[in-house]
């Protein structure tokens, strides 16, 4: 039996993406639609959405709808467009007063209003569509108030009587914490008694915490992270609450959209390759190093980095060991990212110190991300915490052997290479320290020096399957249990 799934998120690729949330919010719904479910995505119509080449039309019966923001009645309309490579409808909430900003996130209290509006507008649209989804799937703090709205402001409507809510925690570092006075602006003025009282007493409202209290099921994006979240080291203050709800907390590793990320078919690559013929990888490495102004020395391992540059990603550990290895002429480096200036300067410093051996591209580039995945020999992801992570899985598919810290989805996706058996897919280290990373890098370089061992390692990784066909099926199973279909 087909399920109705209402998906709400602040990011959906290719319309709006700053990280993995955008990827997952496109790929998982795409899978669900492909296997026959009725999935509808709701996303703000950000003015930053590049609508060239998109077929976006206004929905006749979703024009000039109204919601209150505090004392102000605010009107919005809805446009729709199919998700690329899928027929599933994406509904874009058009409200220039809220979504005409330079980027996806505006920062500050503005975002509380912008994203609570997304949740409420999505529910209003479902009413106008006379649609009662089996599942409302909310993502991160942005849409975490939805379960409470369903229990309060929208509880009068029989339409949603059998609907169930899932809240996925992609990144607990962002909780959506605002001053308590925001309650009126986000439609919770009358519902203070349903909020976390200690927080209100302390003068705050946490969107994520409210979602954790009221969602029927909580998920996070890897089994290991589901355990980590319940510990003091990783719970970011919400561990007690998550422990209380541990019977309703499930970890499902993210999947990879192999339509996008496959070296045999990648739209960005000129030279394709597969496990049976890796020559395209060598050619890509040559072309990319040339293009980026690196010396072309095919024997030197090329290290790749593609990341948001935040403390989460662990780059504090790598700069010194990389500086030494670059200085000793043992590696080349290509890094792509943007974020905190201390990391941008650190990578820029490596480029300045080692021209021809290290290059840093400050910014965001889908094209370069694909080229780096294909050209690099080793991919570096030393994260302090990583709920799932996608790039380690892309890297495995591209024969780009990952060095990762053993945490969250990195621990679940990468197996430590064992030289005695030839098994394993990459290099892992446990302790969050420069030395631990240095040892992992040394192990990787030592292995790289043995071409046969390296080839085996690449093959091991390339044969792993992290497709959404597998991971998405786990969500369907979960939805069915929740909706009482099984
Ligand atoms: P997170 O969501 O924490 O950033 P993930 O590994 O889940 O981490 O997803 C990151 C996604 O964002 C990947 O698709 C990666 O390729 C992409 N990405 C991150 N930084 C950049 C960048 N500077 N340019 C292009 N793509 C990037
Ligand atoms: C988050 C996490 C990342 C995860 C992504 C998508 O931003 O940091 O590990 O892959 O969300 O779920």
């Amino acid at each position: 039996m087909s399920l109705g799934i209402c998906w709400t998120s602040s990011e959906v690729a290719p319309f709006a993406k700053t990280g993995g949330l955008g990827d997952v919010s496109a790929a998982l719904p795409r899978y669900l639609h492909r296997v026959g479910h009725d999935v509808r995505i709701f996303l703000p119509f950000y003015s930053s959405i590049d609508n060239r080449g998109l077929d976006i039309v206004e929905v006749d019966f979703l024009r000039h709808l109204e919601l209150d923001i505090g004392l102000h009645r605010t009107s919005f309309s809805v446009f729709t467009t199919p998700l690329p490579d899928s027929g599933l409808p994406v509904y874009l909430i058009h409200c220039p007063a809220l979504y005409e900003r330079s980027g996806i996130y505006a920062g500050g209290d503005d975002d509380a209003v912008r994203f609570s509006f997304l949740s409420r507008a999505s529910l209003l649209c479902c009413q106008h569509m006379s649609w009662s989804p089996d599942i409302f799937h909310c993502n991160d703090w942005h849409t975490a108030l939805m379960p409470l709205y369903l229990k309060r402001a929208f509880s009068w409507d029989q339409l949603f009587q059998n609907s169930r809510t899932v809240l996925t925690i992609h990144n607990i570092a962002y909780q959506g914490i605002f001053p308590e006075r925001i309650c009126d602006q986000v439609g919770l003025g009358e519902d203070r008694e349903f909020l976390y009282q200690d927080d209100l007493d302390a003068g705050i409202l946490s969107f994520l915490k409210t979602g954790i209290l009221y969602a029927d099921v909580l998920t996070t994006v890897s089994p290991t992270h589901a355990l980590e979240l319940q510990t003091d080291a990783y719970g970011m203050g919400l561990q007690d609450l998550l422990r209380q709800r541990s019977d309703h907390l499930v970890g499902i590793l993210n999947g990879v959209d192999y339509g996008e990320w496959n070296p045999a078919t990648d739209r960005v690559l000129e030279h394709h390759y597969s496990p049976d013929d890796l020559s395209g990888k060598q050619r890509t490495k040559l072309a990319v190093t040339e293009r980026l102004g690196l010396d072309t020395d095919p024997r030197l391992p090329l290290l790749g980095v593609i990341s948001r540059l935040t403390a989460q990603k662990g780059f504090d550990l790598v700069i010194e060991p990389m500086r030494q290895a670059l200085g000793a002429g043992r590696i080349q480096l290509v890094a792509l990212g943007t974020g905190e200036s201390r990391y941008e300067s650190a990578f820029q410093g490596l480029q300045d110190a080692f021209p021809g051996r290290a290059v840093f591209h400050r910014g965001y580039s889908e094209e370069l991300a694909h080229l780096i995945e294909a050209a690099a020999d080793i991919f570096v992801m030393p994260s302090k915490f990583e709920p799932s992570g996608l790039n380690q899985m892309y890297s495995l598919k591209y024969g780009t052997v990952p060095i990762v810290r053993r945490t969250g989805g990195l621990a679940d996706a990468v197996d430590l290479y064992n030289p005695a058996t030839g098994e394993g897919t990459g290099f892992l280290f446990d302790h969050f320290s420069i030395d631990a990373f240095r040892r992992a890098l040394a192990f990787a370089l030592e292995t790289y020096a043995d071409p046969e061992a390296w080839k085996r390692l690449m093959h091991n990784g390339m044969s792993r399957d992290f497709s959404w066909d597998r991971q998405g099926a786990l969500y369907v199973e979960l939805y069915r249990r929740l909706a009482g279909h099984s």
Side-chain angles (χ1 to χ4, degrees), residues 11 18-25 139-140 168-172 174 220-222 225 252-254 308 312-313 381 383 385-393 408-410 468 475:
E11 299 186 21
T18 67
L21 174 61
D23 289 324
V24 173
S25 291
N139 293 280
D140 274 350
T168 295
I169 303 172
H170 296 263
N171 199 328
I172 200 158
Y174 305 96
T220 189
V221 283
S222 67
H225 197 57
I252 300 176
L253 187 66
N254 282 337
R308 293 186 296 115
Q312 170 192 347
K313 299 297 178 178
M381 253 178 122
S383 308
F385 69 96
E386 195 61 75
S388 167
L390 294 170
N391 284 100
Q392 81 279 20
M393 296 189 271
L410 300 177
W468 275 112
Y475 279 95

Side-chain angles (χ1 to χ4, degrees), residues 301-362:
L302 176 64
L303 270 57
V305 166
I306 303 164
S307 191
R308 293 186 296 115
L309 298 178
T310 65
Q312 170 192 347
K313 299 297 178 178
F315 293 112
D316 298 294
L317 306 188
V318 309
I319 302 297
E320 273 324 301
M322 282 184 178
R323 185 184 300 282
Q324 281 164 356
L326 284 162
R330 301 194 64 200
I331 61 167
Q332 289 186 310
L333 168 70
V334 50
L336 165 66
T338 170
E340 290 177 36
S341 57
R342 56 185 165 141
Y343 300 116
E344 292 184 351
S345 320
F347 280 113
Q348 184 61 44
L350 292 179
Q351 168 172 315
D352 296 345
F354 303 102
R357 289 198 206 147
V359 62
F360 171 52
H361 184 96
R362 180 173 156 271

Side-chain angles (χ1 to χ4, degrees), residues 86-155:
S86 168
L88 90 84
V90 177
Y91 293 99
L92 299 162
I93 308 294
H94 187 253
C95 182
L98 294 178
Y99 303 129
E100 217 167 77
R101 305 283 187 277
S102 59
I104 298 174
Y105 304 109
D109 297 356
D110 192 21
D111 279 348
V113 176
R114 297 170 73 233
F115 293 116
S116 60
F117 195 87
L118 169 64
S119 295
R120 292 190 294 152
S122 309
L123 288 166
L124 201 61
C125 290
C126 292
Q127 287 178 318
H128 282 263
M129 294 168 169
S130 304
W131 186 43
S132 52
D134 296 290
I135 303 291
F136 283 97
H137 196 138
C138 323
N139 293 280
D140 274 350
W141 71 264
H142 318 94
T143 49
L145 292 183
M146 220 165 178
L148 179 56
Y149 291 140
L150 276 162
K151 285 200 162 54
R152 297 293 303 153
F154 290 83
S155 64

